[in-house]
Amino acid sequence: MAATRRRSVLATAVTGLVLSAALTTTGCDAVGKALDCVQTADSIADSVTALQQAAENASNDPAALERSLDSIDRDLTEIGDSTDDVDVEKAVDHLGTAVDNIRTAVRDGDRTPDLTPVTSAAGELTKVCTP
């Protein structure tokens, strides 16, 4: 009876290890990607805040606006390269378009571009990155 019980406990332990290994190789990858998305979305939120501050101080440091836009672009590339989620890709594209529009407005001489599309798109990205 004791041998049967030991085999049962051993079988249960082995099954648990196999399931843990399976979850580690599949579930953790998904969790890791989601965490990367959240962290990068958080970085984008910081960059959008910096963009807002740069826009307010554009007359003092016009290059700060461009640096903020570049920072957002880098973060968008990072998310875009690391996801295959359709909603995340759509949010990345939307935010990229908003950033491009601000760049164009600044190049065309607008010293106070409307940042609303960028903040809205950044919020959209944060929503789709949040599990």
Side-chain angles (χ1 to χ4, degrees):
M1 186 75 106
T4 304
R5 183 172 178 170
R6 274 189 235 135
R7 275 183 258 179
S8 176
V9 169
L10 182 59
T12 301
V14 169
T15 302
L17 287 173
V18 170
L19 286 173
S20 292
L23 287 174
T24 300
T25 59
T26 57
C28 286
D29 286 346
V31 170
K33 284 182 181 181
L35 184 57
D36 288 344
C37 185
V38 169
Q39 289 171 339
T40 306
D42 186 47
S43 178
I44 288 173
D46 291 343
S47 296
V48 169
T49 300
L51 176 64
Q52 290 169 326
Q53 291 170 347
E56 290 171 8
N57 299 316
S59 59
N60 297 335
D61 186 5
L65 194 60
E66 192 67 30
R67 286 192 304 270
S68 294
L69 294 169
D70 290 344
S71 177
I72 294 170
D73 278 337
R74 280 190 301 276
D75 290 338
L76 289 175
T77 299
E78 184 179 322
I79 290 176
D81 290 348
S82 67
T83 189
D84 56 357
D85 183 283
V86 175
D87 292 330
V88 172
E89 289 174 356
K90 185 191 286 186
V92 165
D93 289 345
H94 188 211
L95 183 51
T97 299
V99 167
D100 290 344
N101 290 340
I102 293 219
R103 249 187 237 289
T104 300
V106 169
R107 281 191 201 124
D108 290 346
D110 187 351
R111 294 287 171 217
T112 57
D114 180 14
L115 303 181
T116 305
V118 170
T119 56
S120 295
E124 176 187 338
L125 180 60
T126 301
K127 275 190 228 175
V128 298
C129 280
T130 305

